[in-house]
Protein backbone atom coordinates (compact mmCIF):
# COMPACT_ATOMS: atom_id res chain seq x y z
CA UNK A 1 0.00 0.00 0.00
CA UNK A 2 2.80 2.41 0.96
CA UNK A 3 4.64 1.67 -2.30
CA UNK A 4 1.46 2.32 -4.33
CA UNK A 5 0.97 5.67 -2.59
CA UNK A 6 4.60 6.62 -3.24
CA UNK A 7 4.28 5.74 -6.93
CA UNK A 8 1.07 7.76 -7.17
CA UNK A 9 2.80 10.78 -5.62
CA UNK A 10 5.76 10.42 -7.99
CA UNK A 11 3.39 10.24 -10.96
CA UNK A 12 1.62 13.43 -9.86
CA UNK A 13 4.91 15.28 -9.47
CA UNK A 14 6.17 13.99 -12.83
CA UNK A 15 3.03 15.13 -14.63
CA UNK A 16 3.22 18.57 -12.99
CA UNK A 17 6.86 18.91 -13.99
CA UNK A 18 6.18 17.85 -17.58
CA UNK A 19 3.13 20.13 -17.82
CA UNK A 20 5.21 23.07 -16.69
CA UNK A 21 7.94 22.36 -19.25
CA UNK A 22 5.39 22.01 -22.06
CA UNK A 23 3.61 25.24 -21.19
CA UNK A 24 6.90 27.13 -21.07
CA UNK A 25 8.03 25.68 -24.40
CA UNK A 26 4.72 26.56 -26.08
CA UNK A 27 4.84 30.14 -24.78
CA UNK A 28 8.45 30.59 -25.91
CA UNK A 29 7.68 29.16 -29.34
CA UNK A 30 10.26 26.39 -29.06
CA UNK A 31 7.50 23.76 -29.17
CA UNK A 32 5.18 23.79 -32.17
CA UNK A 33 1.92 21.90 -31.89
CA UNK A 34 0.47 22.18 -35.39
CA UNK A 35 -0.27 18.46 -35.73
CA UNK A 36 -1.79 18.35 -32.25
CA UNK A 37 -4.19 21.19 -33.06
CA UNK A 38 -5.19 19.53 -36.33
CA UNK A 39 -5.62 16.17 -34.59
CA UNK A 40 -7.91 17.55 -31.89
CA UNK A 41 -10.02 19.70 -34.19
CA UNK A 42 -10.47 16.93 -36.75
CA UNK A 43 -11.58 14.67 -33.91
CA UNK A 44 -14.02 17.28 -32.63
CA UNK A 45 -15.50 17.71 -36.10
CA UNK A 46 -15.77 13.96 -36.64
CA UNK A 47 -17.52 13.51 -33.31
CA UNK A 48 -20.25 15.96 -34.31
CA UNK A 49 -21.42 13.25 -36.71
CA UNK A 50 -22.30 11.06 -33.70
CA UNK A 51 -24.80 12.83 -31.40
CA UNK A 52 -24.57 10.02 -28.82
CA UNK A 53 -20.96 10.81 -27.83
CA UNK A 54 -20.37 13.77 -25.48
CA UNK A 55 -18.16 16.54 -26.89
CA UNK A 56 -16.34 17.65 -23.73
CA UNK A 57 -12.57 18.04 -23.99
CA UNK A 58 -11.77 14.85 -22.10
CA UNK A 59 -14.02 12.70 -24.31
CA UNK A 60 -12.61 14.33 -27.45
CA UNK A 61 -9.10 13.51 -26.29
CA UNK A 62 -9.98 9.90 -25.46
CA UNK A 63 -11.73 9.43 -28.79
CA UNK A 64 -8.65 10.87 -30.53
CA UNK A 65 -6.22 8.53 -28.74
CA UNK A 66 -8.37 5.44 -29.29
CA UNK A 67 -8.60 6.34 -32.97
CA UNK A 68 -4.80 6.61 -33.16
CA UNK A 69 -4.44 3.12 -31.75
CA UNK A 70 -7.45 1.28 -33.16
CA UNK A 71 -9.60 3.28 -35.60
CA UNK A 72 -11.65 0.18 -36.50
CA UNK A 73 -13.96 0.88 -33.56
CA UNK A 74 -15.21 4.03 -35.29
CA UNK A 75 -15.00 2.77 -38.86
CA UNK A 76 -12.80 5.71 -39.83
CA UNK A 77 -9.32 5.96 -41.41
CA UNK A 78 -6.20 5.89 -39.26
CA UNK A 79 -4.93 9.39 -38.48
CA UNK A 80 -1.90 10.01 -40.75
CA UNK A 81 0.56 11.05 -38.05
CA UNK A 82 1.02 11.25 -34.31
CA UNK A 83 0.52 14.62 -32.61
CA UNK A 84 3.61 16.24 -31.16
CA UNK A 85 2.33 15.59 -27.63
CA UNK A 86 2.51 11.82 -28.26
CA UNK A 87 5.69 11.68 -30.31
CA UNK A 88 7.58 9.87 -27.53
CA UNK A 89 4.83 7.25 -27.44
CA UNK A 90 5.25 6.23 -31.08
CA UNK A 91 6.63 2.74 -30.38
CA UNK A 92 4.12 2.15 -27.62
CA UNK A 93 1.21 3.09 -29.87
CA UNK A 94 2.51 0.78 -32.60
CA UNK A 95 2.93 -2.10 -30.15
CA UNK A 96 -0.57 -1.64 -28.67
CA UNK A 97 -2.11 -1.52 -32.13
CA UNK A 98 -0.36 -4.74 -33.18
CA UNK A 99 -1.38 -6.60 -30.01
CA UNK A 100 -5.02 -5.57 -30.40
CA UNK A 101 -4.93 -6.55 -34.07
CA UNK A 102 -3.48 -9.98 -33.16
CA UNK A 103 -6.20 -10.52 -30.54
CA UNK A 104 -8.93 -9.59 -33.02
CA UNK A 105 -7.42 -11.90 -35.65
CA UNK A 106 -7.17 -14.78 -33.17
CA UNK A 107 -10.80 -14.27 -32.16
CA UNK A 108 -11.90 -14.24 -35.79
CA UNK A 109 -9.90 -17.41 -36.44
CA UNK A 110 -11.67 -19.22 -33.59
CA UNK A 111 -15.13 -18.10 -34.69
CA UNK A 112 -14.43 -19.21 -38.27
CA UNK A 113 -12.84 -22.48 -37.15
CA UNK A 114 -15.82 -23.38 -34.98
CA UNK A 115 -18.12 -22.49 -37.85
CA UNK A 116 -16.27 -24.81 -40.22
CA UNK A 117 -16.39 -27.65 -37.71
CA UNK A 118 -20.13 -27.18 -37.18
CA UNK A 119 -20.74 -27.01 -40.93
CA UNK A 120 -18.82 -30.24 -41.55
CA UNK A 121 -20.33 -32.21 -38.64
CA UNK A 122 -23.86 -30.91 -38.98
CA UNK A 123 -24.14 -30.06 -35.28
CA UNK A 124 -22.64 -27.54 -32.87
CA UNK A 125 -19.44 -28.89 -31.27
CA UNK A 126 -19.03 -28.79 -27.50
CA UNK A 127 -16.82 -26.49 -25.46
CA UNK A 128 -13.99 -29.02 -25.44
CA UNK A 129 -13.55 -28.48 -29.18
CA UNK A 130 -13.56 -24.71 -28.66
CA UNK A 131 -10.88 -25.00 -25.98
CA UNK A 132 -8.84 -27.32 -28.17
CA UNK A 133 -8.85 -24.90 -31.12
CA UNK A 134 -8.34 -21.87 -28.87
CA UNK A 135 -5.19 -23.46 -27.43
CA UNK A 136 -3.64 -23.86 -30.88
CA UNK A 137 -4.64 -20.37 -31.95
CA UNK A 138 -3.19 -18.80 -28.82
CA UNK A 139 0.10 -20.66 -29.14
CA UNK A 140 0.53 -19.45 -32.75
CA UNK A 141 -1.04 -15.98 -32.49
CA UNK A 142 2.33 -14.25 -32.97
CA UNK A 143 3.11 -16.13 -36.17
CA UNK A 144 2.19 -15.10 -39.68
CA UNK A 145 -1.40 -15.50 -40.86
CA UNK A 146 -0.27 -18.20 -43.30
CA UNK A 147 1.30 -20.26 -40.52
CA UNK A 148 -1.73 -19.78 -38.27
CA UNK A 149 -4.03 -20.93 -41.06
CA UNK A 150 -1.94 -24.07 -41.64
CA UNK A 151 -1.84 -24.95 -37.95
CA UNK A 152 -5.55 -24.33 -37.36
CA UNK A 153 -6.48 -26.25 -40.51
CA UNK A 154 -4.53 -29.24 -39.20
CA UNK A 155 -6.19 -29.02 -35.78
CA UNK A 156 -9.66 -28.76 -37.40
CA UNK A 157 -8.82 -31.80 -39.49
CA UNK A 158 -7.98 -33.72 -36.29
CA UNK A 159 -11.27 -32.68 -34.67
CA UNK A 160 -13.28 -33.76 -37.70
CA UNK A 161 -11.39 -37.04 -37.99
CA UNK A 162 -12.12 -37.83 -34.33
CA UNK A 163 -15.82 -37.49 -35.19
CA UNK A 164 -15.54 -39.76 -38.22
CA UNK A 165 -15.55 -36.92 -40.72
CA UNK A 166 -12.57 -36.88 -43.08
CA UNK A 167 -11.50 -33.63 -44.76
CA UNK A 168 -8.31 -32.66 -46.59
CA UNK A 169 -6.20 -30.12 -44.70
CA UNK A 170 -5.66 -28.12 -47.91
CA UNK A 171 -9.43 -27.83 -48.40
CA UNK A 172 -9.83 -26.51 -44.84
CA UNK A 173 -6.99 -24.04 -45.44
CA UNK A 174 -8.75 -22.65 -48.51
CA UNK A 175 -11.95 -22.16 -46.52
CA UNK A 176 -10.07 -20.40 -43.70
CA UNK A 177 -8.24 -18.08 -46.11
CA UNK A 178 -11.47 -17.19 -47.88
CA UNK A 179 -13.23 -16.37 -44.60
CA UNK A 180 -10.26 -14.33 -43.36
CA UNK A 181 -9.84 -12.45 -46.65
CA UNK A 182 -10.91 -8.93 -47.49
CA UNK A 183 -14.40 -10.11 -48.39
CA UNK A 184 -14.86 -11.93 -45.07
CA UNK A 185 -17.20 -10.31 -42.55
CA UNK A 186 -15.95 -12.08 -39.41
CA UNK A 187 -12.52 -10.34 -39.16
CA UNK A 188 -14.14 -6.91 -39.56
CA UNK A 189 -16.74 -7.72 -36.91
CA UNK A 190 -14.10 -8.92 -34.44
CA UNK A 191 -12.04 -5.78 -35.10
CA UNK A 192 -15.06 -3.67 -34.20
CA UNK A 193 -15.72 -5.69 -31.05
CA UNK A 194 -12.12 -5.43 -29.86
CA UNK A 195 -12.23 -1.71 -30.60
CA UNK A 196 -15.44 -1.33 -28.60
CA UNK A 197 -13.82 -3.01 -25.60
CA UNK A 198 -10.92 -0.55 -25.87
CA UNK A 199 -13.30 2.42 -26.10
CA UNK A 200 -15.40 1.17 -23.20
CA UNK A 201 -12.45 0.62 -20.87
CA UNK A 202 -10.85 3.96 -21.74
CA UNK A 203 -14.08 5.92 -21.22
CA UNK A 204 -15.91 3.95 -18.52
CA UNK A 205 -13.14 1.99 -16.85
CA UNK A 206 -14.32 -1.56 -17.46
CA UNK A 207 -16.24 -4.10 -19.52
CA UNK A 208 -18.53 -6.90 -18.40
CA UNK A 209 -17.40 -10.51 -18.69
CA UNK A 210 -20.84 -11.23 -20.13
CA UNK A 211 -20.15 -8.95 -23.08
CA UNK A 212 -16.79 -10.62 -23.72
CA UNK A 213 -18.33 -14.10 -23.62
CA UNK A 214 -21.30 -13.22 -25.83
CA UNK A 215 -19.09 -11.53 -28.42
CA UNK A 216 -16.64 -14.39 -28.87
CA UNK A 217 -13.83 -12.76 -26.88
CA UNK A 218 -13.80 -14.95 -23.77
CA UNK A 219 -10.61 -16.82 -24.69
CA UNK A 220 -8.63 -13.57 -25.10
CA UNK A 221 -10.44 -11.67 -22.33
CA UNK A 222 -7.59 -11.40 -19.82
CA UNK A 223 -5.02 -10.23 -22.35
CA UNK A 224 -7.49 -7.90 -24.07
CA UNK A 225 -8.51 -6.21 -20.83
CA UNK A 226 -4.86 -5.90 -19.78
CA UNK A 227 -3.89 -4.16 -23.05
CA UNK A 228 -6.89 -1.83 -22.89
CA UNK A 229 -6.05 -0.90 -19.31
CA UNK A 230 -2.52 -0.02 -20.46
CA UNK A 231 -4.06 2.35 -23.01
CA UNK A 232 -6.29 3.79 -20.30
CA UNK A 233 -3.30 4.52 -18.05
CA UNK A 234 -1.52 6.21 -20.94
CA UNK A 235 -4.58 8.36 -21.63
CA UNK A 236 -4.89 9.36 -17.97
CA UNK A 237 -1.26 10.43 -17.80
CA UNK A 238 -1.53 12.45 -21.02
CA UNK A 239 -4.56 14.22 -19.58
CA UNK A 240 -2.73 15.05 -16.37
CA UNK A 241 -0.09 16.77 -18.47
CA UNK A 242 -1.96 18.21 -21.46
CA UNK A 243 -5.67 18.54 -20.70
CA UNK A 244 -5.49 22.25 -19.73
CA UNK A 245 -3.60 22.94 -22.97
CA UNK A 246 -6.06 20.87 -25.00
CA UNK A 247 -8.92 22.86 -23.48
CA UNK A 248 -7.34 26.05 -24.79
CA UNK A 249 -6.67 24.51 -28.19
CA UNK A 250 -10.28 23.46 -28.63
CA UNK A 251 -11.62 26.90 -27.86
CA UNK A 252 -13.06 28.43 -31.04
CA UNK A 253 -10.89 31.54 -30.84
CA UNK A 254 -7.65 29.64 -30.20
CA UNK A 255 -4.90 30.92 -32.50
CA UNK A 256 -1.44 30.15 -31.26
CA UNK A 257 0.19 29.84 -34.66
CA UNK A 258 -0.17 32.63 -37.23
CA UNK A 259 -1.54 31.38 -40.50
CA UNK A 260 -2.97 28.15 -39.09
CA UNK A 261 -5.99 27.03 -41.09
CA UNK A 262 -8.36 24.50 -39.61
CA UNK A 263 -8.62 21.50 -41.99
CA UNK A 264 -11.93 20.14 -43.21
CA UNK A 265 -13.22 16.66 -42.45
CA UNK A 266 -12.86 14.30 -45.39
Amino acid sequence: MRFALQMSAIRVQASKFERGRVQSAVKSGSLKLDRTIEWLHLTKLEMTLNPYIPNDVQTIHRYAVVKLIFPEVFGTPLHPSLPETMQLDQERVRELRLVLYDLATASAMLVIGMGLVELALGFKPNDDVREYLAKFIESHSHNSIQMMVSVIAASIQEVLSAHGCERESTSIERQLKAALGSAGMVPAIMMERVGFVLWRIVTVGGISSQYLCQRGLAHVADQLVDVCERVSRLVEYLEEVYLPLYTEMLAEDYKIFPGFVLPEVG
Side-chain angles (χ1 to χ4, degrees):
M1 174 66 77
R2 181 178 297 176
F3 178 76
L5 291 173
Q6 289 175 339
M7 289 303 297
S8 178
I10 291 172
R11 172 172 167 156
V12 170
Q13 291 301 317
S15 62
K16 285 183 177 179
F17 176 73
E18 187 172 349
R19 183 166 62 244
R21 289 186 62 186
V22 168
Q23 289 174 339
S24 297
V26 170
K27 288 180 180 179
S28 68
S30 60
L31 176 60
K32 304 296 185 183
L33 299 177
D34 301 68
R35 293 197 307 276
T36 302
I37 298 173
E38 178 182 353
W39 172 60
L40 290 172
H41 278 279
L42 279 174
T43 300
K44 183 178 179 180
L45 289 172
E46 185 177 302
M47 287 175 63
T48 61
L49 303 175
N50 191 333
Y52 300 104
I53 301 180
N55 63 350
D56 59 283
V57 176
Q58 186 178 69
T59 304
I60 291 171
H61 173 243
R62 294 185 178 199
Y63 183 106
V65 174
V66 168
K67 181 174 176 177
L68 279 177
I69 295 173
F70 210 72
E72 286 80 359
V73 65
F74 305 122
T76 54
L78 182 68
H79 196 77
S81 59
L82 284 178
E84 294 90 346
T85 53
M86 291 184 66
Q87 203 61 45
L88 295 178
D89 299 299
Q90 186 169 358
E91 281 303 311
R92 187 185 311 183
V93 167
R94 188 183 70 85
E95 177 210 347
L96 292 168
R97 184 186 300 153
L98 289 175
V99 172
L100 289 169
Y101 178 83
D102 286 344
L103 292 174
T105 301
S107 299
M109 191 82 77
L110 181 58
V111 170
I112 294 168
M114 289 294 290
L116 292 179
V117 171
E118 183 175 353
L119 183 65
L121 296 180
F123 59 87
K124 187 174 182 178
N126 59 32
D127 288 341
D128 290 340
V129 173
R130 180 182 295 275
E131 291 301 318
Y132 178 76
L133 294 181
K135 179 184 70 174
F136 279 95
I137 292 170
E138 181 181 0
S139 62
H140 292 84
S141 60
H142 299 297
N143 295 327
S144 66
I145 294 294
Q146 177 59 50
M147 184 173 291
M148 283 184 67
V149 166
S150 298
V151 170
I152 304 311
S155 62
I156 290 174
Q157 184 185 37
E158 290 180 14
V159 169
L160 295 180
S161 181
H163 287 80
C165 180
E166 299 300 331
R167 289 286 190 280
E168 290 291 334
S169 179
T170 53
S171 174
I172 299 172
E173 281 193 39
R174 284 196 297 270
Q175 290 177 292
L176 282 171
K177 288 178 181 178
L180 286 167
S182 58
M185 292 180 61
V186 175
I189 291 172
M190 300 314 293
M191 290 287 180
E192 290 179 5
R193 290 178 180 178
V194 166
F196 177 80
V197 173
L198 174 61
W199 173 245
R200 185 77 178 174
I201 289 178
V202 167
T203 55
V204 180
I207 191 79
S208 71
S209 57
Q210 182 181 13
Y211 176 90
L212 296 170
C213 290
Q214 291 177 345
R215 300 305 190 278
L217 297 170
H219 71 292
V220 298
D222 291 342
Q223 190 177 359
L224 176 56
V225 170
D226 178 69
V227 174
C228 293
E229 287 177 347
R230 286 172 58 195
V231 177
S232 185
R233 289 192 293 271
L234 171 63
V235 167
E236 290 171 2
Y237 183 79
L238 290 170
E239 288 174 355
E240 289 174 5
V241 176
Y242 296 110
L243 201 60
L245 183 59
Y246 289 165
T247 301
E248 292 181 27
M249 287 180 172
L250 286 166
E252 292 183 3
D253 59 347
Y254 184 79
K255 293 180 181 178
I256 191 168
F257 303 118
F260 175 78
V261 178
L262 181 65
E264 297 180 358
V265 174

